[in-house]
Amino acid sequence: MNESGTGTAQPPVEERLRAALAARAQSVGPSDLRPLRPPTAAVRPGRVLLRRVVVSALALAAVAALVFFTVRGGQSGPTEPARSPHPTTGTPSPVPSAVTPSTAEPSPSAPYP
């Protein structure tokens, strides 16, 4: 807003920009403009054709690689289980314990038959 509170005045930067743009617009005349010409055909038709050929070839190669890797990679049977990275020397034998087995006795809280 400006000092009077009406809010119609623009900031100084805005005023300067508008004045500069108006002066530039007034300085351009009909002699500065280029003559009208209809649009021409494709500027570089060779590049467009080359791009289409390259993209088609890449797409065909991707499909061929996909088919090759999916058909070639399949195995006919189940795979073997994974093996240990270190060879095993044998199964360890159980170590005998010093405690002798006792006969099983019923617990005092078990009901009698």
Side-chain angles (χ1 to χ4, degrees), residues 97-112:
S97 63
V99 178
T100 57
S102 62
T103 59
E105 296 179 17
S107 68
S109 62
Y112 291 103

Side-chain angles (χ1 to χ4, degrees), residues 4-105:
S4 64
T6 60
T8 58
Q10 297 175 352
V13 174
E14 183 90 16
E15 289 177 17
R16 290 177 63 192
L17 281 174
R18 284 185 188 269
L21 288 174
R24 179 70 177 142
Q26 294 298 323
S27 69
V28 175
S31 61
D32 297 325
L33 301 176
R34 67 173 185 220
L36 283 177
R37 279 186 250 152
T40 60
V43 177
R44 296 180 183 160
R47 280 192 169 182
V48 173
L49 180 63
L50 179 65
R51 183 178 298 151
R52 285 183 183 171
V53 169
V54 169
V55 168
S56 299
L58 288 175
L60 184 63
V63 170
L66 180 69
V67 169
F68 176 74
F69 286 118
T70 55
V71 171
R72 181 187 67 91
Q75 293 182 348
S76 60
T79 59
E80 294 183 19
R83 296 185 180 162
S84 173
H86 303 291
T88 57
T89 57
T91 57
S93 61
V95 179
S97 63
V99 178
T100 57
S102 62
T103 59
E105 296 179 17

